[in-house]
Amino acid sequence: MADVTDDVEKLYEFGERLNEAKDKSQHRQDYEGIIAAANGSVKAKQLAAQLIPKFFKFFPQLAEQALDQHINLIEDYQELGVRVQAIRGLPLFCKDTPEHLSKIVDILGQLLVAGENVERDAVHKALMTVLRQDVKTSLTALFKRIGSIEDQSAEDLSTWDSIRKKVLLFLRDKVFPLKMELLVPQELMERHITTLVKQNLQDVTAAEFKMFMDFLKSLSLFGHNAPAERIQELVEIIEGQADLDAQFDVSDADHIERFISCLSMAFPFFKMGASGSKFLNYLNKQIMPVFDKLPEQWKLDLLKNLAECSLCATTQDSRQLLPSVVQLLKKYMVRRKIEEINYTCIECLLYTFHHLAHKTPNATNSLCGYKIVTGQPSDRLGEDFSEQYKDFTERLSTVEDLARAMIKKLTQGMADQNKALAAAKTEEEKDAIKTQKQNATFALRACNNILAMTQPLHTKTPKFIGDQKINLSWKEVAKPSGPSTATTAGQKRPAATTNGSSSNPLKKGRGVGGMQHQLVNKAFSGIYGGGRSSGRGGRSSRGRGRGRSYH
């Protein structure tokens, strides 16, 4: 007991002499005594954890020794109080010696995996203190913990991954919400953090990528008044994540899922004036030729996204893409009446066809046999495309007959479902019937949309729909505000949910509602729930870090 008291008394003596000394650097032995006392009793360790950082700046020649001893205190697995005190002292190491700031941030970043709440809170507060001291250097150091593991020090994979995830959560929960306070001067720091994000997207999951994109969208740099080139910068980030420079492999489910999610994420920026040409060109040249070989679960998802993006296609994009769309439309619009056809796929393709043809109407002359005069050599009016016209309009008529029959069937079925719902006794039965009714409602919308889009196409010179009067079946119907008869032009996409059931993270996020919006539900489980896939290396052929799997 006397030894413990002696240790603490000596520490107080060292501290008092250093406090009183005008030239503290002349009291090296006292500071060395403080460092040595950190090997003593629990009380001595706690006091040393306060004194080592307090006088650290006066003894640069002892900096390495002092830091090492302080880290030993942080790693005292038996004494929580010692660890917490040592963590609280970390910001002092760089308060007056900023050359140590990056190292302190890295240490604190590693400590985010702390198990005890009081310890973790101390880490959060210490990090915020250091961030407020020098946000630029601190963020740069934190982001080094997000990049590929090849860029990190020698750590085992599971430890590195745990730290990385905690750093991401810290950024999301603590840093991003305080962007107005921390990112000062605003434009300079917003540009810096944008650069950091762009540099560390080579190995992210779907939820992580969505988190970063949502954050970038929230910056003033990319706000409503941002010039077109800045909005295009966001699209270019998404293009890079979609691997649009890679050769498409139809057996690579990871890539097609990522492409669809990225296309969906980029769509709002297309509406703001950014170019979608690179996406549409990749779709036309790489994916459309092998569309039939795609996994069934992605075909409809791809066509839904294509339909929405067709609104923003340029004339050149439309001319290049239209032949592939017409060819695919003919495959879905059968000439003979059959039971099984995919009405939603036909709805998507007809919608896409109308919007592309509206921008380059004379391209339909050779594709569908229409007689549309624009005065351009590409009109090809002197050629005979009557067979194409006959084939296309016959398919239209067949699809119309099938759609009318399906509408009749669905209407009767919904009446039966209403009766069944009234008779249902359990909640499970009611939920099952409600799901059936909802599916029938979507199918009914699709069939009605098909009829609305096929009818104008029967004449030799049809008028193609180039506005948003057709509300796609899977989108919520816009509710008019007041007496106005608003269309869906300003309709927002459904908001994303933040929970999911899949344990395997995806690479990109999407909205909810309908089959095409399943991605983000699964994706969010990566960062908010079930962790990330351990199957690394699946994408190494494209050189994207260790390749967090997309499926």
Side-chain angles (χ1 to χ4, degrees):
M1 185 71 179
D3 290 343
V4 172
T5 305
D6 289 345
D7 283 349
V8 175
E9 287 296 329
K10 286 180 181 178
L11 272 171
Y12 276 119
E13 289 177 16
F14 297 147
E16 286 174 9
R17 274 199 295 270
L18 283 167
N19 264 331
E20 293 170 0
K22 291 184 178 180
D23 186 358
K24 295 177 176 33
S25 63
Q26 297 301 311
H27 291 261
R28 174 171 174 153
Q29 286 186 333
D30 288 330
Y31 194 61
E32 287 177 330
I34 292 172
I35 294 172
N39 294 318
S41 66
V42 172
K43 289 186 177 180
K45 288 178 178 179
Q46 286 181 312
L47 186 53
Q50 297 177 52
L51 296 177
I52 289 174
K54 182 176 181 179
F55 300 109
F56 175 76
K57 66 181 179 181
F58 300 109
F59 302 97
Q61 68 275 26
L62 296 174
E64 185 176 351
Q65 185 181 343
L67 265 174
D68 286 346
Q69 189 69 298
H70 200 83
I71 291 170
N72 288 337
L73 295 174
I74 291 171
E75 294 175 346
D76 190 328
Y77 297 111
Q78 294 182 331
E79 296 297 335
L80 176 62
V82 172
R83 297 199 304 272
V84 171
Q85 188 64 57
I87 290 167
R88 288 171 178 166
L90 280 173
L92 292 175
F93 282 100
C94 49
K95 183 178 180 181
D96 297 299
T97 50
E99 64 269 22
H100 296 290
L101 193 141
S102 291
K103 184 173 184 178
I104 297 304
V105 171
D106 188 61
I107 292 169
L108 286 166
Q110 295 177 61
L111 292 173
L112 285 169
V113 296
E116 299 287 344
N117 287 339
V118 64
E119 194 174 359
R120 195 162 54 248
D121 288 345
V123 174
H124 287 171
K125 288 176 182 177
L127 263 174
M128 293 307 298
T129 298
V130 179
L131 274 162
R132 288 185 171 96
Q133 178 184 329
D134 185 342
V135 66
K136 185 175 183 180
T137 305
S138 299
L139 285 174
T140 302
L142 272 179
F143 267 85
K144 286 181 180 178
R145 282 280 163 187
I146 298 173
S148 179
I149 189 161
E150 284 84 356
D151 301 329
Q152 310 302 322
S153 57
E155 292 173 323
D156 67 79
L157 192 59
S158 61
T159 299
W160 170 80
D161 207 37
S162 297
I163 294 169
R164 181 184 183 280
K165 182 177 178 181
K166 293 296 183 182
V167 169
L168 282 164
L169 291 174
F170 177 78
L171 288 170
R172 185 197 72 183
D173 297 337
K174 304 294 184 180
V175 178
F176 290 172
L178 296 177
K179 62 180 183 291
M180 294 300 291
E181 173 192 343
L182 294 175
L183 300 183
V184 178
Q186 188 179 58
E187 185 172 349
L188 181 67
M189 284 309 305
E190 286 190 351
R191 174 50 63 192
H192 178 66
I193 199 169
T194 299
T195 300
L196 289 175
V197 169
K198 290 165 73 172
Q199 289 172 346
N200 289 279
L201 290 176
Q202 71 273 24
D203 197 18
V204 294
T205 66
E208 292 163 3
F209 184 69
K210 184 180 186 301
M211 178 190 78
F212 281 128
M213 290 306 301
D214 285 346
F215 171 68
L216 292 181
K217 285 190 296 183
S218 74
L219 298 178
S220 299
L221 199 65
F222 304 104
H224 294 299
N225 297 321
E229 59 266 22
R230 287 194 189 159
I231 304 302
Q232 188 63 40
E233 183 180 348
L234 293 178
V235 170
E236 287 171 3
I237 293 173
I238 302 172
E239 288 172 351
Q241 196 68 5
D243 280 356
L244 299 185
D245 294 323
Q247 179 66 36
F248 181 69
D249 179 0
V250 72
S251 64
D252 186 356
D254 173 79
H255 195 187
I256 184 59
E257 185 172 354
R258 193 160 5 100
F259 176 86
I260 293 170
S261 292
C262 286
L263 184 58
S264 174
M265 188 178 290
F267 173 62
F269 303 124
F270 301 158
K271 293 177 74 175
M272 295 170 69
S275 171
S277 295
K278 193 167 183 180
F279 270 103
L280 294 176
N281 186 57
Y282 190 88
L283 174 65
N284 187 42
K285 291 185 177 179
Q286 299 268 359
I287 299 178
M288 283 300 213
V290 293
F291 185 87
D292 289 343
K293 298 179 182 178
L294 289 176
E296 285 299 322
Q297 71 265 32
W298 301 128
K299 288 182 179 178
L300 179 57
D301 216 6
L302 184 66
L303 293 180
K304 285 182 174 181
N305 278 278
L306 173 60
E308 295 195 39
C309 291
S310 67
L311 288 165
C312 308
T314 65
T315 300
Q316 184 178 0
D317 294 334
S318 301
R319 186 172 293 279
Q320 292 175 348
L321 188 55
L322 198 54
S324 298
V325 170
V326 171
Q327 184 180 10
L328 193 57
L329 183 56
K330 287 181 178 180
K331 288 183 180 179
Y332 278 94
M333 291 201 312
V334 293
R335 294 187 68 173
R336 291 182 297 173
K337 294 180 182 179
I338 56 174
E339 282 293 319
E340 295 295 328
I341 65 170
N342 193 316
Y343 292 96
T344 311
C345 283
I346 294 173
E347 175 197 16
C348 292
L349 287 164
L350 279 170
Y351 189 89
T352 303
F353 174 76
H354 270 281
H355 282 280
L356 298 183
H358 179 76
K359 289 155 190 165
T360 177
N362 64 345
T364 63
N365 294 354
S366 60
L367 295 172
C368 310
Y370 291 130
K371 298 289 185 181
I372 297 174
V373 181
T374 65
Q376 300 297 319
S378 53
D379 286 350
R380 299 177 66 178
L381 294 176
E383 301 177 59
D384 182 12
F385 296 115
S386 55
E387 283 299 315
Q388 284 87 335
Y389 178 77
K390 180 182 178 185
D391 175 72
F392 194 70
T393 52
E394 282 181 2
R395 291 175 188 276
L396 290 172
S397 297
T398 300
V399 166
E400 286 172 339
D401 290 344
L402 290 170
R404 290 189 186 97
M406 180 55 69
I407 288 171
K408 184 177 180 181
K409 182 178 179 181
L410 288 168
T411 304
Q412 179 59 49
M414 291 176 78
D416 294 339
Q417 287 159 2
N418 288 334
K419 293 177 183 177
L421 186 62
K425 296 180 180 179
T426 68
E427 287 302 318
E428 288 184 359
E429 288 177 328
K430 290 178 182 179
D431 288 342
I433 296 168
K434 286 177 182 177
T435 300
Q436 291 173 5
K437 282 189 65 179
Q438 186 180 41
N439 291 338
T441 299
F442 286 134
L444 196 59
R445 289 182 191 170
C447 289
N448 282 319
N449 281 345
I450 288 171
L451 292 178
M453 289 186 286
T454 55
Q455 287 166 5
L457 299 179
H458 283 287
T459 65
K460 284 280 187 179
T461 55
K463 289 188 178 180
F464 302 112
I465 300 169
D467 52 32
Q468 297 183 65
K469 289 179 181 177
I470 300 292
N471 193 65
L472 291 163
S473 62
W474 60 89
K475 295 174 71 71
E476 291 297 324
V477 178
K479 294 180 179 179
S481 56
S484 64
T485 55
T487 68
T488 59
Q491 182 179 341
K492 293 182 179 179
R493 294 165 64 82
T497 60
T498 55
N499 59 348
S501 57
S502 172
S503 61
N504 292 330
L506 310 179
K507 284 269 313 192
K508 301 293 172 293
R510 291 165 56 87
V512 295
M515 177 180 170
Q516 87 284 14
H517 295 310
Q518 293 174 354
L519 302 186
V520 78
N521 297 338
K522 293 185 286 182
F524 268 104
S525 64
I527 193 168
Y528 302 130
R532 290 212 293 267
S533 170
S534 59
R536 299 170 191 272
R539 294 170 53 204
S540 58
S541 62
R542 287 196 287 274
R544 297 176 60 83
R546 283 195 166 265
R548 284 176 172 75
S549 177
Y550 216 74
H551 55 89

